[in-house]
Amino acid sequence: MGFSQYLKKKNLMFLLAYGIYILAMSLEYTDLRYGFDKGLQLMRYAAYALFLIKIILEIRYHKKSLFLFTILLFFFIIQAGGTGMREICFLLLILFSCQKEDVRPALKLQIVIQIFSLILTFALCAAGILTNGEYFDHGKIRYSMGFVYINGAGALLFSSETAWMFIRGKKITIFETFLFLSGWRIIYYYTDLRTMTLIGCAMAVAGVVIKYCKWSVKEALPKMFYLMFPIAMTVFTWILQLYYNLYSHEKLCIVLNSILNGRLNLAKRALENYEINLLGQKIQWIGNIDNLVRNKYNYVDCSYIRMPLDYGVLISLIFLGIYCFIMYRLVKENNRAGCVALCAVLVCGFMMHILGGVHYNPLLLLAGGIFHGKTKIRQT
């Protein structure tokens, strides 16, 4: 196969692999995982295999691909040594395989698959095929709507919305905004998912407001705000957490911990039990679902605390650099909606562990430009 023929097929290979991966990850957090766990796992590994084949095929045409493949192999060897970097290995596999790809088709595909998965799960739940689990929290009954936990539906809609914000930009319509707001209203009605609903609704409204505003993110003040936002969120999170660790018994800290549903105390306990090292460690996190059978809860939701514990200082700093790079590209292209969407992701990362995977944060695909030249976002 000649190089020109290969160029025509390589984007299709990436889209196929990415579509399979997103579909598997979207359904894995529904009740379908209990009956089709092996099938969903096979779908994921089939996608990984396609990503890897694409990288290997490119070695024939690009020496840079051989270098990337070597880095990927190095990380897999580290992971095999027992560190908690499995997610990073697969993320690198996806990012390396999208070199010189236009990410917009992949993001459009992700929106379609995730919205389809959301509607399908709701329909199966309404038909009684999937379980609409009940959770009691602060005197309220919250429903899972067919997902394994109450935040599953919100996570899928939030991911779709961020991709929509980036792709549509100035072309966002009031009708599209109405659809997303309606989706958040339904999810909130059943799940009482407050923080993510608030962020999602604010992001949707901001998309319409941006359409009719003439200001540019390249102006001095907005530019500084957006470029510093990833670093500011990281610093703010750690200052707040360290303050709580020192003065956890003070009234202010008790109130803050209550507002954040105990996240500060859970992070404090994790930092006391586990050390943060250079290359990360393997920690057995026990969330709400596992807690039902193990009668023990050990989980950290905040991405800014969780990532150094799991991946270590080195990878966490690389992630911070990646988000700064993505924001820089969005500012450079004057993609105002994309900047707002990335800020929403970074704020949501304070409450949820979403900053390390493309299935919850599709804007991570834009980091492909870090490893292999310019990811094509300039026309968006």
Side-chain angles (χ1 to χ4, degrees):
M1 179 172 60
F3 184 54
S4 60
Q5 293 176 308
Y6 170 70
L7 286 176
K8 296 178 182 179
K9 296 181 179 180
K10 71 185 186 73
N11 187 52
L12 179 61
M13 183 184 296
F14 174 75
L15 289 178
L16 177 62
Y18 193 68
I20 294 172
Y21 173 77
I22 292 299
L23 180 60
M25 295 303 296
S26 298
L27 297 178
E28 185 169 338
Y29 293 95
T30 69
D31 281 347
L32 290 173
R33 70 183 293 183
Y34 297 119
F36 302 94
D37 183 55
K38 294 296 182 182
L40 294 174
Q41 188 178 51
L42 285 175
M43 287 177 63
R44 286 203 322 274
Y45 283 109
Y48 296 147
L50 287 174
F51 287 133
L52 188 59
I53 290 172
K54 183 177 183 296
I55 294 175
I56 293 175
L57 287 176
E58 288 183 342
I59 292 176
R60 178 178 175 183
Y61 303 107
H62 300 292
K63 293 182 179 179
K64 187 183 294 184
S65 296
L66 178 60
F67 173 69
L68 299 177
F69 181 77
T70 304
I71 295 177
L72 187 63
L73 183 63
F74 170 74
F75 273 94
F76 269 109
I77 292 174
I78 292 178
Q79 192 278 327
T83 60
M85 296 177 63
R86 185 177 181 181
E87 295 178 7
I88 299 299
C89 295
F90 293 134
L91 176 62
L92 287 176
L93 187 62
I94 295 172
L95 294 182
F96 287 167
S97 67
C98 74
Q99 61 174 317
K100 298 183 180 179
E101 299 289 351
D102 186 345
V103 299
R104 290 168 298 173
L107 294 181
K108 291 177 183 178
L109 181 63
Q110 182 162 350
I111 293 173
V112 172
I113 291 175
Q114 291 186 322
I115 295 297
F116 167 77
S117 301
L118 197 58
I119 295 174
L120 175 65
T121 304
F122 288 176
L124 293 176
C125 181
I129 298 175
L130 298 183
T131 303
N132 190 15
E134 293 185 354
Y135 295 86
F136 295 88
D137 187 17
H138 301 290
K140 294 183 178 180
I141 300 178
R142 308 169 71 183
Y143 297 95
S144 68
M145 301 179 70
F147 289 84
V148 294
Y149 192 54
I150 52 178
N151 63 359
L156 280 186
L157 186 60
F158 183 82
S159 175
S160 302
E161 188 177 1
T162 55
W164 164 74
M165 286 279 288
F166 170 78
I167 292 172
R168 296 292 289 164
K170 296 179 181 180
K171 297 180 180 179
I172 291 173
T173 65
I174 295 178
F175 178 70
E176 292 171 348
T177 302
F178 172 77
L179 290 179
F180 276 103
L181 291 176
S182 299
W184 283 117
R185 180 67 185 90
I186 294 171
I187 289 174
Y188 177 73
Y189 178 80
Y190 288 101
T191 66
D192 192 37
L193 196 64
R194 289 159 288 181
T195 303
M196 183 169 283
T197 299
L198 180 62
I199 297 173
C201 289
M203 180 164 56
V205 173
V208 176
V209 174
I210 287 171
K211 179 179 180 179
Y212 298 100
C213 291
K214 296 182 179 180
W215 56 271
S216 169
V217 295
K218 292 185 177 182
E219 296 176 6
L221 188 58
K223 181 178 180 180
M224 182 62 66
F225 172 82
Y226 285 120
L227 291 179
M228 293 301 298
F229 197 81
I231 298 175
M233 278 300 302
T234 304
V235 173
F236 166 77
T237 301
W238 276 99
I239 289 178
L240 178 62
Q241 186 62 56
L242 292 174
Y243 179 81
Y244 178 84
N245 291 356
L246 293 174
Y247 307 103
S248 58
H249 297 294
E250 289 190 356
K251 185 176 180 179
L252 176 60
C253 290
I254 294 174
V255 172
L256 288 173
N257 185 57
S258 178
I259 294 174
L260 297 173
N261 290 331
R263 285 178 170 83
L264 292 175
N265 188 54
L266 290 171
K268 177 177 181 293
R269 187 172 65 183
L271 291 171
E272 291 173 348
N273 294 335
Y274 308 106
E275 294 182 358
I276 295 178
N277 53 45
L278 184 63
L279 295 177
Q281 59 196 309
K282 189 173 183 61
I283 300 175
Q284 186 177 20
W285 299 109
I286 302 175
N288 284 288
I289 304 304
D290 298 324
N291 187 41
L292 297 176
V293 294
R294 304 190 188 196
N295 198 28
K296 182 181 179 182
Y297 188 85
N298 176 38
Y299 203 81
V300 173
D301 292 292
C302 179
S303 298
Y304 301 97
I305 306 296
R306 175 78 173 267
M307 293 176 73
L309 288 169
D310 278 339
Y311 310 144
V313 175
L314 178 61
I315 298 298
S316 299
L317 290 176
I318 291 176
F319 261 101
L320 179 59
I322 284 174
Y323 278 102
C324 290
F325 172 80
I326 295 174
M327 188 67 82
Y328 166 76
R329 292 297 301 273
L330 293 172
V331 169
K332 185 178 179 180
E333 305 298 332
N334 197 26
N335 191 323
R336 296 178 294 176
C339 289
V340 171
L342 186 56
C343 286
V345 168
L346 292 167
V347 171
C348 200
F350 180 80
M351 303 295 292
M352 293 183 62
H353 183 48
I354 66 169
L355 298 184
V358 294
H359 53 288
Y360 281 155
N361 176 22
L363 296 184
L364 260 180
L365 277 184
L366 302 179
I370 252 182
F371 304 106
H372 25 254
K374 296 181 179 180
T375 303
K376 297 179 181 178
I377 67 173
R378 59 182 178 275
Q379 297 178 4
T380 308

